[in-house]
């Protein structure tokens, strides 16, 4: 397995050495070796991707409808805020903040409005399912609360990106009566086409 | 019917202004540069302004969620039956199915863990709620946002991790509903960088006017 948790362990050691540096979240969970920082780093890769994607989408000039431009602007600012918040939380937990990876997009991704919204929807969908898959694994209450909040926002993003581009209501705008979680491996595989070089945080796709 | 025939209004305002205060709210949530950690409120301690009794612990949270799902399920079922949904029918119909499924899911979960269910409360809706789709969507927006707040508000109170995952899976669907209803109303569509969260007392204060008894 590539899940080395090196970054987390390094941070945990640093945190333990600093003695009480993690008091904000309570040191007990950290003494037990919570994987929260590592999970957050994975979420951060997803947030980097989303933020980067909406930045490029904005720069493409393909989104011209005023309502859609407003949506795009809101999506971008949400994701930028998520990047900052998640980065900050990883550091706060004593973890090593993963660097923004190299990102790649299929040719033509930003060449049309339809392609932009459909790709956005695919990324949002994978992202929210990835976070949901970790719901039971997060240990720190404040981190769990923040992750749940970000997840809910991503669900809104997924629905709206599907709605504006006219994807089917069920299986697009909605995803049945409840969301489907993804394992970390599946989520990594789903995002792999966009991530040119996986940061060495233990989340590299198996076999790469 | 699987494609949305709804015309997209051109005057939609997506989200409210992203101000610094809002970012700070998220920052505080995850403890970035903040001096305070969130302390989860103990479930059931604050008296909810309602005649409904949910009980304590995870079963109490389930019965609380069930009350909200009962409300939504009845509301959407009546919306579908009303025949007045028009162009938003392709959206309202699946939502009605989702809410009915949520009622079943929570009821079954309570049965599975050997806990009593919550009898379905009697609900009342404002006059004209089902006479046109705009009235209907306005009420729907209230319920969906209350539902999101309720789930978000209980995230750190749920003890059982598998239950938490199941509740989160439902909550995400409610977030989608809230976004889409907001969109159809041409109003606030994205709440900002974080989902709203509410205590049981806050949420039940919103729901109370719709309880008949």
């Amino acid at each position: 397995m590539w899940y080395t948790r090196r970054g987390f362990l390094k941070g945990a050691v640093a945190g333990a050495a600093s003695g009480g540096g993690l008091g904000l979240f309570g040191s007990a969970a950290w003494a037990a070796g919570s994987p929260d920082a590592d999970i957050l780093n994975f979420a951060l890769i997803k947030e980097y991707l989303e933020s980067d994607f909406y930045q490029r989408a904005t720069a493409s000039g393909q989104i011209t409808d005023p309502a859609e431009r407003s949506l795009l602007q809101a999506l971008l600012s949400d994701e930028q805020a998520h990047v900052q918040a998640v980065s900050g939380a990883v550091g706060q937990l004593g973890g090593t903040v993963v660097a923004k990876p190299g990102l790649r997009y299929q040719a033509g991704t930003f060449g049309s409005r339809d392609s932009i919204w459909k790709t956005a929807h695919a990324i949002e969908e994978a992202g929210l399912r990835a976070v949901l898959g970790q719901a039971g694994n997060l240990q720190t209450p404040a981190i769990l609360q923040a992750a749940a909040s970000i997840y809910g926002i991503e669900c809104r993003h997924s629905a709206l990106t599907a709605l504006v581009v006219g994807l089917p209501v069920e299986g697009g705008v909605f995803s049945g009566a409840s969301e489907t979680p993804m394992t970390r491996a599946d989520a990594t595989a789903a995002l792999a086409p966009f991530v040119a070089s996986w940061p060495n945080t233990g989340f590299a796709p198996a076999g790469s | 019917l699987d494609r949305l025939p709804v015309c997209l209004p051109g005057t939609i305002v997506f989200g409210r202004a992203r101000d610094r205060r809002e970012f700070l709210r998220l920052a505080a949530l995850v403890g970035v540069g903040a001096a305070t950690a969130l302390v989860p409120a103990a479930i059931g301690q604050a008296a909810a302004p309602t005649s409904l009794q949910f009980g304590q612990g995870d079963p109490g949270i389930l019965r609380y969620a069930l009350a909200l799902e009962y409300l939504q399920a009845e509301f959407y079922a009546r919306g579908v039956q009303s025949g007045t949904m028009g162009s938003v029918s392709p959206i309202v119909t699946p939502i009605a199915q989702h809410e009915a499924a949520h009622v079943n899911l929570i009821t079954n979960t309570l049965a599975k863990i050997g806990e009593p269910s919550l009898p379905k409360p009697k609900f009342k809706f404002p006059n004209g709620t089902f006479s046109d789709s705009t009235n209907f969507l306005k009420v729907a927006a209230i319920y969906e946002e209350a539902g999101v707040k309720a789930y978000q508000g209980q995230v750190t109170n749920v003890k059982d991790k598998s239950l938490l995952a199941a509740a989160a899976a439902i909550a995400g669907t409610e977030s989608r509903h809230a976004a889409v209803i907001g969109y159809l109303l041409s109003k606030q569509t994205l709440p900002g960088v974080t989902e709203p969260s509410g205590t049981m007392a806050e949420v039940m204060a919103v729901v109370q006017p719709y309880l008949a008894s």
Side-chain angles (χ1 to χ4, degrees), chain B residues 130-169:
Chain B
F130 303 104
S131 61
D132 81 58
S133 63
T134 303
N135 289 351
F136 179 84
L137 291 178
K138 283 179 181 167
V139 179
I142 295 168
Y143 296 164
E144 294 295 352
E145 294 294 350
V148 169
K149 280 183 185 175
Y151 280 107
Q152 289 288 332
Q154 298 304 319
V155 162
T156 57
N157 294 329
V158 175
K159 297 282 186 291
D160 183 283
K161 292 294 185 187
S162 63
L163 191 59
L164 174 67

Side-chain angles (χ1 to χ4, degrees), chain A residues 6-79:
Chain A
R6 183 192 300 161
F8 163 67
L9 290 173
K10 191 176 152 197
V13 170
S18 72
L22 297 167
L24 186 58
F25 298 97
S27 54
W30 289 97
S34 159
D36 286 10
D38 217 10
I39 293 171
L40 287 179
N41 262 335
F42 180 53
L44 183 55
I45 293 171
K46 166 192 103 58
E47 301 295 350
Y48 280 136
L49 169 61
E50 290 168 342
S51 177
D52 185 83
F53 180 86
Y54 291 123
Q55 217 154 12
R56 289 170 190 261
T58 304
S60 76
Q62 294 291 329
I63 306 300
T64 52
D65 176 84
E68 292 185 22
R69 284 181 65 88
S70 299
L71 174 60
L72 183 57
Q73 199 176 4
L75 292 165
L76 176 59
S77 78
D78 280 1
E79 304 303 359

